[in-house]
Amino acid sequence: IISILWDMGAHITIENMRQLGNEPMADLHINGRALKGVDIALEHVPLAIDEFPALFIAAANATGITRLQGAAELRVKESDRIDVMAAGLKTLGIEVETSD
């Protein structure tokens, strides 16, 4: 998710990287800045599959268009996350287009 946000222009620095058990941890420092729409790289999709709802919110606030491909898994999680997020964003007046 951080790589995608960096692509969108986010200013995020990672410090104090460490392990807790078998999980990587770090301190993130985030400075507010305008984001831009991007075509999300296919190699980022499997690494951020559970974070896409939050990324959809970031994309809704970015200038330009954000495109996501290769995330069909989002349609078969606990719910169809793509349709659920699209419906919520449309309710807020955000222009959203989905495809199968």
Side-chain angles (χ1 to χ4, degrees):
I1 188 171
I2 294 171
S3 294
I4 297 168
L5 290 169
W6 280 336
D7 290 346
M8 295 176 80
H11 185 265
I12 302 170
T13 57
I14 301 172
E15 298 176 0
N16 193 24
M17 293 185 68
R18 58 201 181 276
Q19 290 285 123
L20 179 62
N22 291 328
E23 295 293 324
M25 292 185 62
D27 298 327
L28 302 180
H29 296 271
I30 303 167
N31 292 320
R33 142 179 322 183
L35 300 177
K36 65 180 186 321
V38 296
D39 289 327
I40 297 173
L42 286 174
E43 64 265 16
H44 292 312
V45 172
L47 302 173
I49 204 75
D50 290 326
E51 288 78 19
F52 276 113
L55 280 169
F56 294 158
I57 300 299
N61 288 284
T63 58
I65 296 171
T66 297
R67 290 182 187 87
L68 169 63
Q69 296 180 346
E73 182 179 339
L74 289 173
R75 293 209 180 270
V76 294
K77 297 291 265 180
E78 296 81 14
S79 62
D80 183 335
R81 292 184 186 178
I82 291 175
D83 278 349
V84 169
M85 289 300 300
L89 292 170
K90 286 177 182 178
T91 298
L92 296 172
I94 307 297
E95 186 178 335
V96 179
E97 184 179 315
T98 63
S99 64
D100 291 330

